[in-house]
């Protein structure tokens, strides 16, 4: 098992390190791979970054705990994600090209170009908006990265009987290594490689587990004996009947919609190449063609893998019956250990571990960009070339590792908290910009801060058990922008 784990993990790391030979050693290449990434790589990388350790550990643990009702997480999440991508992704790519920015915060802050913002004092506000987005990105992406390292640590703890800190340390070292060497190109290449292994490993485990229970009908019959496990909806809903069920699903749709507020995912689509491979093609039709291809790979993998992972989570409850005392987030590695040969367990572990790294490296790079490009003055970044950026990346990895070692929150809860916070903060602003809205820089800052504040308060008071906190969080951002529009109309009428 250790031999196969080491072999497959070494292959993933080798893929990432090989990007060094294609690196152009400049800021745009480190952050955006010079905007030359092919659609299938963008799609596979984005979906692997979106899910990874959360899918392997958090989602399967959630399915193990609640049963069939977890299916609405998949349905709502993918539907919300798809709706958002239909009108956001290609506009974000276009704004990346027109603004010349290399970070998610930079693009949002300079959507219409620097000349399109207020002058003098307005330019300072513009810089303030970029710093606010950068600071919030840093905090939540750091928490997210820590969750990925925790997921890797849990896998090694079960399968190799290693101390809890071992997986986190190994993961941090590997992330720092190939982020230092190849930047986002290394991250994307590694994502694509491990996404293929992830789906193969999960499908293999699902097949073995299903056959072990005697097939589909026998498995369903046994699940019927677990109280509430095959209920379609939770027993406690905010509203009774169908209204409560609809609101429950809409909550998860907002979770999927929140993908547009995730800098580490959206930056993948910012790296997408134009059809002429120049990175400067301004034809909206050609950009959409490549974007459509990237989205095809993204949703094909997303739907297929999430369906298989949900099946594995359901079946794991039949094998690991002591739900009261069992850590549900250890369901996948424990099930693999019970059902598969040591060689295949090593494959599962390598896929799981590489999955956590695929998101962790993306998050670390996002944090690095937030510090070196968004928060600190740009002249610091420019004078130090990529050396300062790479050292920042290593330092951020160390902070994520420290957080992971002292963390006591579940992977699922930590990821959902970071996801809803980022989505509530940045999602409404990005949507407004995509529909040619022109919020003032001050309004933009208020939208970002109020959205994230509402989401955090909603979760703090445990209201997320009734409605996903991203719903009120994102709505607050739209309300703030609506107030600007209304007050602007009143101002015009009063002066006319």
């Amino acid at each position: 098992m250790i031999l196969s784990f080491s072999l497959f993990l070494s292959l993933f790391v080798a893929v990432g390190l090989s990007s060094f030979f294609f690196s152009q050693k400049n800021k745009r290449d480190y952050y955006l791979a010079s905007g030359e990434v092919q659609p299938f790589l963008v799609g596979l990388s984005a979906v692997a970054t979106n899910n990874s350790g959360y899918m392997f550990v958090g989602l399967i643990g959630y399915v193990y705990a609640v049963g069939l009702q977890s299916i609405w997480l998949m349905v709502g999440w993918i539907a919300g994600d798809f709706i958002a991508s239909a009108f956001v992704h290609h506009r974000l790519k276009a704004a990346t090209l027109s603004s010349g920015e290399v970070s998610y915060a930079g693009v949002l802050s300079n959507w219409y170009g620097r000349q399109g913002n207020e002058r003098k004092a307005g330019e300072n506000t513009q810089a303030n908006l970029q710093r606010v987005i950068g600071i919030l990105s840093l905090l939540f992406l750091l928490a997210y990265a820590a969750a990925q390292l925790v997921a890797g640590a849990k896998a090694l703890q079960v399968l190799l009987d290693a101390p809890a800190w071992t997986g986190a340390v190994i993961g941090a070292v590997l992330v720092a290594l190939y982020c230092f060497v190849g930047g986002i190109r290394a991250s994307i290449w590694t994502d694509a490689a491990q996404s293929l292994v992830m789906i193969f490993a999960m499908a293999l485990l699902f097949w073995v587990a299903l056959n072990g229970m005697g097939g589909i009908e026998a498995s369903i019959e046994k699940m019927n004996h677990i109280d509430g496990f095959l209920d379609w909806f939770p027993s406690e809903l905010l509203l009774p009947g169908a209204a409560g069920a609809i609101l429950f699903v809409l909550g998860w749709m907002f979770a999927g919609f929140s993908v547009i507020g995730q800098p580490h995912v959206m930056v993948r689509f910012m790296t997408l190449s134009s059809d002429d491979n120049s990175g400067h093609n301004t034809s909206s039709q050609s950009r959409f063609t490549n974007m459509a291809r990237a989205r095809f790979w993204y949703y094909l993998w997303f739907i297929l893998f999430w369906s298989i992972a949900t099946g594995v989570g359901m079946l794991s409850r039949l094998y690991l019956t002591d739900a009261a005392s069992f850590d549900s987030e250890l369901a996948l590695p424990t099930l693999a250990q019970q059902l598969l040969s040591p060689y295949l367990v090593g494959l599962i572990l390598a896929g799981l571990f590489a999955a956590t790294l695929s998101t962790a490296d993306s998050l670390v790079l996002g944090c690095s960009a937030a510090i070196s490009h968004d928060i600190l003055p740009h002249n610091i970044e420019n004078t130090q070339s990529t050396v300062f950026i790479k050292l920042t990346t290593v330092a951020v990895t160390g902070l994520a590792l420290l957080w992971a070692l002292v963390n006591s929150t579940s992977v699922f809860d930590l990821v959902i908290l970071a996801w809803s916070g980022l989505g509530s903060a940045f999602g409404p602003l990005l949507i407004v910009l995509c529909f040619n809205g022109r919020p003032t820089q001050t309004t933009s800052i208020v939208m970002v801060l109020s959205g994230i504040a509402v989401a955090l308060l909603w979760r703090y008071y445990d209201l997320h058990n009734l409605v996903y906190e991203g719903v009120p969080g994102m709505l607050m951002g739209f309300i703030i922008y609506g107030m600007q529009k209304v007050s602007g109309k009143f101002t015009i009428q009063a002066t006319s």
Side-chain angles (χ1 to χ4, degrees), residues 349-486:
L349 177 57
L352 194 163
F353 201 71
T356 65
L357 300 187
S358 76
T359 297
D361 59 20
S362 310
L363 297 161
V364 165
L365 286 170
C367 291
S368 176
I371 294 173
S372 61
H373 185 72
D374 302 321
I375 299 173
L376 296 179
H378 283 203
N379 62 322
I380 293 177
E381 175 193 42
N382 293 334
T383 55
Q384 299 298 324
S385 186
T386 59
V387 175
F388 177 76
I389 297 171
K390 291 181 177 181
L391 291 176
T392 303
T393 301
V394 174
V396 167
T397 307
L399 291 175
L401 173 60
L402 181 62
W403 193 327
L405 293 177
V406 301
N407 173 71
S408 60
T409 307
S410 74
V411 173
F412 184 85
D413 287 340
L414 199 55
V415 168
I416 291 296
L417 175 62
W419 187 276
S420 61
L422 291 167
S424 298
F426 310 140
L429 176 59
L430 180 54
I431 292 170
V432 167
L433 292 171
C434 283
F435 284 100
N436 299 319
R438 288 182 175 264
T440 65
Q441 299 299 311
T442 301
T443 298
S444 298
I445 292 175
V446 175
M447 288 174 66
V448 168
L449 294 178
S450 61
I452 201 168
V454 168
L456 291 177
L457 287 172
W458 198 269
R459 191 165 189 87
Y460 178 79
Y461 287 107
D462 284 332
L463 298 174
H464 63 280
N465 292 322
L466 302 176
V467 177
Y468 169 67
E469 64 264 26
V471 176
M474 295 187 76
L475 290 177
M476 178 55 68
F478 292 123
I479 290 171
I480 296 298
Y481 178 67
M483 291 170 62
Q484 175 199 301
K485 297 287 287 185
V486 171

Side-chain angles (χ1 to χ4, degrees), residues 33-49:
S34 299
E36 298 174 347
V37 183
Q38 293 303 306
F40 80 96
L41 286 174
V42 169
L44 292 179
S45 175
V47 74
T49 297

